[in-house]
């Protein structure tokens, strides 16, 4: 059974880059069965879709984050990553990795989530 | 401001039914049958309860059902139980190949 696990620094300074990795077990990152996705939830706010990547390397980003965002695949490590640059306090949130269906982009499987704080 | 509009809160008594609406546009909800609904208990992982407007994943109670008319999708929960108290979010695939979410609805039982 496939599982996802987020990892990365929990504290990031303003203006720096937030970097997270989602380790995938139980399936190959080269599988064409999913879009590998990132979402977040800021304290007291709703869910926000960040972006996703397909095994071909094609990426799709939330327009509000696109200028600061990179999502990539690492097939050798069977994980995918999120890099969000020039962070501010507004980027403080719980970040989730997830898989999305290829047809309707339903987020079927979620990681546990990791709380990232942007603070000096 | 979220792309999809949901009521901030709804409430119901045990055993009753409630419906949560999710209003979008022709570029998202109205353009595809790709609306999903998630149940989120604070501090836990969101759970997919409806995909493709009205499909229930394996293991999801039949008390949850989804529908859509024009640019508004709806989630109905029948036979309300205390454990249904949670936040509910809708999402939709869009014409620009991205996903948009609603602002979430807090259900009080």
């Amino acid at each position: 059974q496939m599982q996802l696990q987020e990892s990365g620094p929990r504290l990031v300074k303003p203006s720096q880059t937030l970097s997270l990795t989602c380790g995938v077990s139980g399936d190959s990152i080269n599988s064409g069965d999913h879009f590998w996705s990132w979402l977040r939830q800021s304290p007291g706010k709703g869910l926000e879709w960040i972006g996703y990547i397909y095994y071909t390397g094609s990426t799709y980003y939330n327009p509000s984050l696109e200028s600061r965002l990179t999502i990539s695949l690492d097939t050798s490590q069977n994980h995918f990553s999120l890099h969000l640059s020039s962070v501010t306090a507004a980027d403080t949130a719980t970040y989730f990795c997830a898989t999305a269906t290829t047809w309707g982009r339903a987020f079927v499987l979620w990681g546990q989530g990791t709380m990232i704080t942007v603070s000096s | 401001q979220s792309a999809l509009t949901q009521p901030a809160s709804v409430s119901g008594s045990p055993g009753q039914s409630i419906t949560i609406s999710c209003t979008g546009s022709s570029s998202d909800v109205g353009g595809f049958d790709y609306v999903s609904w998630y149940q989120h208990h604070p501090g836990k992982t969101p759970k997919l309860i409806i995909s493709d407007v009205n499909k229930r994943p394996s293991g999801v109670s039949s008390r949850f059902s989804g529908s859509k008319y024009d640019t508004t999708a709806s989630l109905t929960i029948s036979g309300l139980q205390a454990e249904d108290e949670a936040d509910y979010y809708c999402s939709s695939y869009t014409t620009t190949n991205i996903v948009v979410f609603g602002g979430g609805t807090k259900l009080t039982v």
Side-chain angles (χ1 to χ4, degrees):
Chain A
Q1 186 171 348
M2 183 165 53
Q3 292 185 321
L4 306 175
Q5 180 65 60
E6 304 91 349
S7 61
R10 302 297 178 90
L11 180 65
V12 183
K13 296 185 187 308
S15 81
Q16 293 191 341
T17 297
L18 182 162
S19 295
L20 292 172
T21 294
C22 182
V24 179
S25 60
D27 199 357
S28 169
I29 203 81
N30 280 321
S31 167
D33 294 336
H34 321 284
F35 275 77
W36 306 101
S37 311
W38 289 99
L39 304 97
R40 70 181 183 181
Q41 183 177 34
S42 300
K45 297 192 176 181
L47 292 173
E48 179 181 27
W49 174 75
I50 296 173
Y52 44 50
I53 187 167
Y54 197 45
Y55 81 105
T56 57
S58 296
T59 53
Y60 303 86
Y61 297 150
N62 186 320
S64 69
L65 299 170
E66 185 166 14
S67 63
R68 301 190 290 129
L69 182 61
T70 301
I71 296 177
S72 59
L73 294 172
D74 186 331
T75 56
S76 66
Q77 298 292 321
N78 210 47
H79 69 221
F80 61 105
S81 299
L82 163 74
H83 300 283
L84 184 65
S85 64
S86 305
V87 297
T88 70
D91 295 309
T92 292
T94 296
Y95 286 75
F96 298 94
C97 60
T99 62
T101 58
T102 56
W103 56 95
R105 305 300 192 272
F107 299 102
V108 178
L109 180 67
W110 296 64
Q112 289 298 305
T114 185
M115 177 66 191
I116 305 299
T117 301
V118 178
S119 174
S120 55
Chain B
Q1 186 173 356
S2 302
L4 306 180
T5 301
Q6 298 179 232
S9 63
V10 297
S11 63
S13 300
Q16 289 185 331
S17 295
I18 63 94
T19 296
I20 299 171
S21 62
C22 171
T23 300
S25 69
S26 58
S27 296
D28 39 65
V29 175
F32 306 90
D33 286 338
Y34 291 150
V35 176
S36 301
W37 289 91
Y38 302 86
Q39 178 190 61
H40 190 201
H41 290 101
K44 296 194 174 182
T45 299
K47 177 185 178 182
L48 177 68
I49 55 174
I50 295 287
S51 68
D52 305 339
V53 174
N54 55 17
K55 294 181 172 54
R56 277 191 312 277
S58 174
V60 174
S61 172
S62 58
R63 297 185 300 104
F64 295 92
S65 62
S67 62
K68 191 189 83 166
Y69 179 76
D70 198 14
T71 59
T72 297
S74 299
L75 171 71
T76 297
I77 309 174
S78 59
L80 274 177
Q81 300 178 359
E83 67 204 48
D84 298 332
E85 187 163 294
D87 298 321
Y88 291 85
Y89 294 90
C90 63
S91 73
S92 176
Y93 183 59
T94 77
T95 54
T96 53
N97 300 313
I98 66 171
V99 172
V100 290
F101 273 84
T105 298
K106 181 178 179 59
L107 169 61
T108 301
V109 179

